[in-house]
Amino acid sequence: MSETRIDHDRLFKELLSTFFEEFVLLFFPHVHEQIDFHYLSFLSEEVLTDVTAGEKHRVDLLVETKLRGEDGLIVVHIEHQSYIQSSFSERMFIYFSRLFQKHRRRILPIAIFSYDAIRDEPSSFTVSFPFLTVLDFRFLTVELSKLPWRTYIRHDNPVAAALLSKMGYNEEEKVEVKKEFLRMLTRLELDEARQRLLFGFFETYLRLSEEEEVRLRDEVKTMEEKEAAKVMELIVSYEKKGMEKGIEKGIEKGIEKGIEKGIEKGMEKAKLDVAKRMLAKGFDADTIHELTGLPLETIEQLKP
């Protein structure tokens, strides 16, 4: 998938708006203790205009909530940054000042850095003279590439599971990272929609090759029997969804051509393509037959 095609801000916004409390608990437990999550409201998208630069910026996520034991409302502003920007801390302050001007409430700013480079991002913006500090603006930060992923597999937290894909692992660890993600997913026991959100987020940023997928299945087989069965069921479930999606695409192609034969060919080709991929990933012929409906003889002929 091309980097330019990924809508990073949309993906992060969807993840964090669905699991806002879990995000705060995971990275800022001291903040979590103070917020009353019984009152939670997501504000409409804010568009801030930079008049001098002639640019418009959309604020990623604004959440209205309360502190425990207090009547007044506060606003939590979460800003996701997927690329290096030298003036980011200044931009955070500009966002803060514009939001404060509009809402006239206490605002808690949080920045999430998701790019792969490892660097020390500032968490403040200062304006000062030798004789006076005029401004000392500070914000909370999460630098994903600097986080040790193994530490976060101990958390039964859906945000931790999804963000494993953006933490500090190397190429040799990719199979293990996905294995731990799948284990976390089975422990969380989420509904299908939320599970799909986490799986889609993870797969966007960490995708295994066919050879790595085979290694993953081999490692799953060495796990404790009950857990291995749950993880394998999850893998097969998403393989099946991928197969159904492929069949749908084949049908759509046939309809576009307006030829019934094209539909049948599209369906057949999609099934064959899925069967080939499943064979490459170590699935046995009986499982492939059950999921695709292809004859066992056809599946045997596809084997290399």
Side-chain angles (χ1 to χ4, degrees):
M1 183 179 292
S2 171
E3 184 73 10
T4 56
R5 291 184 182 179
I6 300 175
D7 189 344
H8 301 284
D9 291 341
R10 182 190 62 78
L11 285 169
F12 273 81
K13 182 175 182 178
E14 189 174 1
L15 176 69
L16 300 183
S17 60
T18 303
F19 300 106
F20 174 72
E21 182 177 357
E22 292 86 347
F23 165 76
V24 177
L25 175 62
L26 181 66
F27 293 116
F28 308 108
H30 62 296
V31 176
H32 184 272
E33 291 176 1
Q34 301 295 323
I35 292 181
D36 181 359
F37 289 94
H38 291 100
Y39 183 90
L40 210 62
S41 175
F42 293 91
L43 302 181
S44 59
E45 187 177 75
E46 297 272 0
V47 179
L48 304 179
T49 303
D50 185 337
V51 178
T52 56
E55 297 177 348
K56 290 184 178 181
H57 300 284
R58 283 179 169 81
V59 173
D60 288 339
L61 191 65
L62 281 179
V63 185
E64 187 178 69
T65 185
K66 293 181 178 181
L67 295 184
R68 297 180 189 273
E70 295 188 12
D71 293 331
L73 299 174
I74 67 168
V75 174
V76 180
H77 165 216
I78 301 177
E79 191 68 19
H80 165 246
Q81 185 72 0
S82 61
Y83 59 93
I84 296 172
Q85 182 182 35
S86 59
S87 60
F88 179 78
S89 59
E90 178 181 340
R91 180 155 67 90
M92 281 294 287
F93 169 68
I94 293 172
Y95 283 4
F96 175 87
S97 60
R98 300 280 180 83
L99 292 170
F100 182 79
Q101 183 181 31
K102 178 176 179 178
H103 296 281
R104 296 292 177 175
R105 292 180 191 152
R106 287 180 292 175
I107 297 171
L108 176 63
I110 302 173
I112 307 174
F113 301 97
S114 68
Y115 49 74
D116 295 333
I118 297 178
R119 50 183 269 136
D120 293 324
E121 282 288 350
S123 58
S124 64
F125 177 69
T126 305
V127 176
S128 64
F129 298 94
F131 50 84
L132 177 67
T133 299
V134 177
L135 173 69
D136 187 11
F137 168 72
R138 298 177 180 274
F139 51 96
L140 299 174
T141 62
V142 179
E143 296 180 68
L144 293 174
S145 64
K146 295 169 71 173
L147 299 181
W149 67 272
R150 293 180 190 278
T151 301
Y152 288 87
I153 63 177
R154 304 189 187 102
H155 297 265
D156 285 339
N157 185 305
V159 175
L163 292 181
L164 287 181
S165 60
K166 293 299 292 178
M167 292 183 185
Y169 58 85
N170 57 47
E171 284 295 309
E172 290 70 31
E173 295 175 318
K174 284 172 63 181
V175 172
E176 191 177 358
V177 173
K178 184 167 183 181
K179 180 183 75 175
E180 294 300 334
F181 163 73
L182 292 168
R183 294 178 73 183
M184 292 173 75
L185 214 54
T186 58
R187 294 199 302 269
L188 288 168
E189 297 183 346
L190 300 169
D191 60 73
E192 185 179 353
R194 294 188 174 201
Q195 189 181 86
R196 188 178 299 173
L197 167 61
L198 297 184
F199 205 98
F201 185 100
F202 185 92
E203 289 271 298
T204 298
Y205 293 110
L206 195 160
R207 190 174 293 274
L208 301 183
S209 66
E210 291 190 357
E211 180 183 345
E212 289 169 332
E213 288 285 357
V214 172
R215 281 174 47 206
L216 172 64
R217 282 155 180 75
D218 289 340
E219 291 196 18
V220 169
K221 291 173 184 176
T222 66
M223 292 162 52
E224 186 272 328
E225 186 176 352
K226 286 185 178 179
E227 186 179 31
K230 287 183 178 179
V231 172
M232 191 58 73
E233 182 182 352
L234 189 62
I235 293 173
V236 171
S237 171
Y238 278 91
E239 287 286 347
K240 187 175 181 180
K241 286 183 176 69
M243 180 202 72
E244 290 169 350
K245 192 174 181 180
I247 291 174
E248 285 174 8
K249 283 185 179 179
I251 293 173
E252 287 171 5
K253 278 189 177 180
I255 292 174
E256 285 173 5
K257 292 177 182 178
I259 305 171
E260 188 175 339
K261 192 173 181 181
I263 297 175
E264 294 173 358
K265 284 186 177 180
M267 291 179 65
E268 191 66 22
K269 185 178 185 304
K271 288 182 180 181
L272 292 171
D273 289 343
V274 170
K276 288 177 183 177
R277 290 200 300 272
M278 292 179 75
L279 283 169
K281 292 175 182 177
F283 284 90
D284 58 70
D286 288 333
T287 301
I288 298 171
H289 166 68
E290 181 182 347
L291 293 175
T292 65
L294 288 171
L296 288 171
E297 297 79 7
T298 302
I299 296 169
E300 291 294 334
Q301 292 173 5
L302 294 174
K303 291 183 178 179

